[in-house]
């Protein structure tokens, strides 16, 4: 009877009320509170610059000057966006403290889409072929060549600007959309490494079975490997597209007219058109939002896919 009494009393110590009390104590622990405060601070620091750009874009230049510390937009209006889209006359733009000249937004948008698409399509395709060669094919010196190729990750991209500029100039592609896209249209060390990590995880038995059935290496690559790698290839395409869209220094170096300028360069051109009275901060921040918003929305939509694909490839 004493044993039964003892065992019967045990569940009372783990009653829902007791468990709830412990969970409640854990929920208000000092460590948890500090963690939430730290997370909130990180979110504020991350979001504040974007909000400040939006606040400035929605303010008038006169309002920004009169009340620069206001958290809310001063003299709320959309005239900065109107200047970016060319919907204001020169007189109206100058009256608002603007430059009197607008961005040729639609041409710059078209150029950004063309360049980013060329870079993404070429880089993903050629990087996939190189990654397949390094991961699945056996040839003399493969690992040594891959190590040397991977070492290019440590070379700053600014070191290759001058050779690329000389090459593009010699083949007559200066101030041309193809010249803007060419240096990054082919494989990059990161892209090859990223896809190689995934290809190495594909069971060799599947490839060997296809080869035994008479499929060639090319057919195996296009009809077996690429479909199985759809997720990481899509992720790489998104990352490449965002990177190409945000590229600034190389397009600035080789673009001289509106026919080849992309949106990131257009923002600098808009800044250079500032009147002598001062910078058109409202228009400049509106131009910045116009240039950044498409890629920000794309990244937010694809963030989960990117994180999952990077985790699956084993990249730390």
């Amino acid at each position: 009877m004493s044993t039964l009494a003892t065992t019967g009393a045990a569940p009372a110590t783990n009653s829902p009320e007791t468990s709830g009390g412990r969970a409640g104590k854990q929920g208000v622990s000092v460590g948890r509170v500090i963690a939430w405060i730290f997370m909130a601070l990180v979110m504020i620091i991350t979001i504040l610059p974007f909000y400040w750009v939006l606040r400035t874009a929605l303010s008038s230049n006169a309002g920004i000057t009169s009340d620069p510390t206001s958290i809310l937009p001063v003299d709320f209006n959309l005239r900065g966006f109107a200047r970016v889209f060319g919907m204001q006359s020169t007189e109206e733009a100058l009256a608002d403290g603007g430059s009197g000249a607008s961005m040729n937004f639609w041409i710059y948008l078209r150029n950004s889409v063309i360049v980013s698409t060329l870079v993404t399509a070429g880089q993903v395709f050629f990087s996939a072929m190189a990654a397949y060669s390094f991961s699945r094919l056996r040839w003399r010196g493969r690992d040594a060549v891959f190590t040397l190729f991977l070492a290019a990750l440590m070379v700053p991209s600014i070191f290759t600007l001058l050779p690329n500029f000389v090459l593009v100039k010699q083949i007559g592609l200066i101030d041309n959309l193809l010249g803007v896209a060419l240096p990054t249209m082919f494989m990059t060390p990161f892209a090859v490494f990223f896809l190689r990590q995934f290809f190495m995880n594909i069971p060799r038995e599947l490839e060997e079975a296809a080869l035994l059935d008479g499929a060639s290496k090319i057919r195996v690559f296009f009809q077996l490997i690429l479909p199985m790698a759809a997720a990481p290839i899509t992720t790489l395409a998104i990352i490449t597209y965002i990177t190409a869209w945000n590229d600034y220094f190389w397009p600035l170096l080789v673009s001289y007219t509106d026919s080849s300028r992309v949106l990131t360069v257009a923002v600098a051109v808009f800044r250079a058109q500032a009147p002598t009275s001062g910078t058109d901060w409202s228009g400049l921040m509106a131009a910045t939002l116009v240039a950044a918003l498409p890629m920000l929305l794309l990244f937010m939509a694809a963030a989960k896919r990117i994180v999952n694909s990077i985790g699956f490839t084993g990249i730390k």
Side-chain angles (χ1 to χ4, degrees):
M1 291 295 293
S2 59
T3 304
L4 292 174
T6 303
T7 57
T13 60
N14 294 325
S15 63
E17 292 79 3
T18 306
S19 302
R22 290 178 180 175
K25 291 180 181 180
Q26 291 178 358
V28 295
S29 64
V30 176
R32 189 177 291 265
V33 171
I34 293 175
W36 278 106
I37 293 175
F38 178 76
M39 185 181 299
L41 289 175
V42 171
M43 291 294 295
I44 292 173
I45 294 172
T46 303
I47 296 174
L48 184 60
F50 295 98
Y51 172 75
W52 202 254
V53 169
L54 178 62
R55 170 261 182 196
T56 305
L58 296 176
S59 303
S60 66
N61 285 311
I64 295 171
T65 304
S66 63
D67 192 2
T69 60
S70 174
I71 297 178
L72 298 176
V74 184
D75 185 19
F76 179 89
N77 68 89
L78 298 175
R79 294 192 296 271
F81 291 95
R83 287 193 293 282
V84 171
F85 286 94
M87 300 170 62
Q88 269 190 340
S89 65
T90 302
E91 293 74 16
E92 291 173 334
L94 291 174
D96 284 336
S99 63
S102 65
M103 289 171 52
N104 203 336
F105 171 78
W106 299 112
I107 291 180
Y108 294 139
L109 176 63
R110 180 205 65 186
N111 294 343
S112 289
V113 170
I114 292 175
V115 170
S116 300
T117 302
L118 287 175
V119 170
T120 301
Q123 191 174 136
V124 170
F125 178 71
F126 291 112
S127 295
M129 290 196 297
Y132 178 73
S133 176
F134 283 127
S135 62
R136 315 298 289 188
L137 304 182
R138 296 182 177 88
W139 42 279
R140 185 184 300 274
R142 182 191 65 177
D143 294 338
V145 173
F146 178 72
T147 301
L148 181 63
F149 186 77
L150 202 61
L153 282 171
M154 297 181 289
V155 178
S157 59
I158 195 171
F159 288 175
T160 62
L161 285 177
L162 182 57
N164 285 335
F165 180 82
V166 173
L167 175 62
V168 169
K169 184 177 181 180
Q170 288 180 345
I171 60 179
L173 292 179
I174 292 292
D175 199 24
N176 185 288
L177 289 177
L178 184 58
V180 177
L182 189 61
T184 50
M185 269 185 62
F186 301 100
M187 67 192 77
T188 63
F190 170 77
V192 173
F193 173 70
F194 180 83
L195 293 179
R196 176 181 176 270
Q197 294 300 107
F198 181 86
F199 290 163
M200 291 179 65
N201 292 325
I202 297 177
R204 286 189 175 273
E205 290 77 8
L206 296 175
E207 185 177 355
E208 292 172 354
L211 293 173
L212 288 175
D213 287 339
S216 63
K217 287 287 186 180
I218 295 178
R219 186 177 179 184
V220 168
F221 174 71
F222 283 103
Q223 296 187 2
L224 179 65
I225 301 298
L226 288 186
M228 293 184 66
I233 286 177
T234 303
T235 299
L236 178 62
I238 294 171
I239 295 174
T240 304
Y241 199 93
I242 294 174
T243 302
W245 185 279
N246 292 330
D247 193 14
Y248 170 73
F249 197 65
W250 173 253
L252 177 66
L253 193 63
V254 297
S255 302
Y256 302 148
T257 63
D258 287 353
S259 63
S260 63
R261 284 176 178 152
V262 295
L263 272 175
T264 50
V265 177
V267 174
V269 173
F270 191 89
R271 167 68 177 83
Q273 294 173 344
T276 56
S277 58
T279 302
D280 179 10
W281 289 114
S282 177
L284 181 61
M285 293 301 103
T288 302
L289 279 177
V290 167
L293 189 58
M295 292 304 101
L296 179 62
L297 295 176
L298 176 62
F299 182 80
M300 291 175 62
K304 185 175 181 180
R305 175 185 288 272
I306 292 173
V307 171
N308 291 340
S309 294
I310 291 176
F312 188 77
T313 56
I315 298 176
K316 305 298 183 182

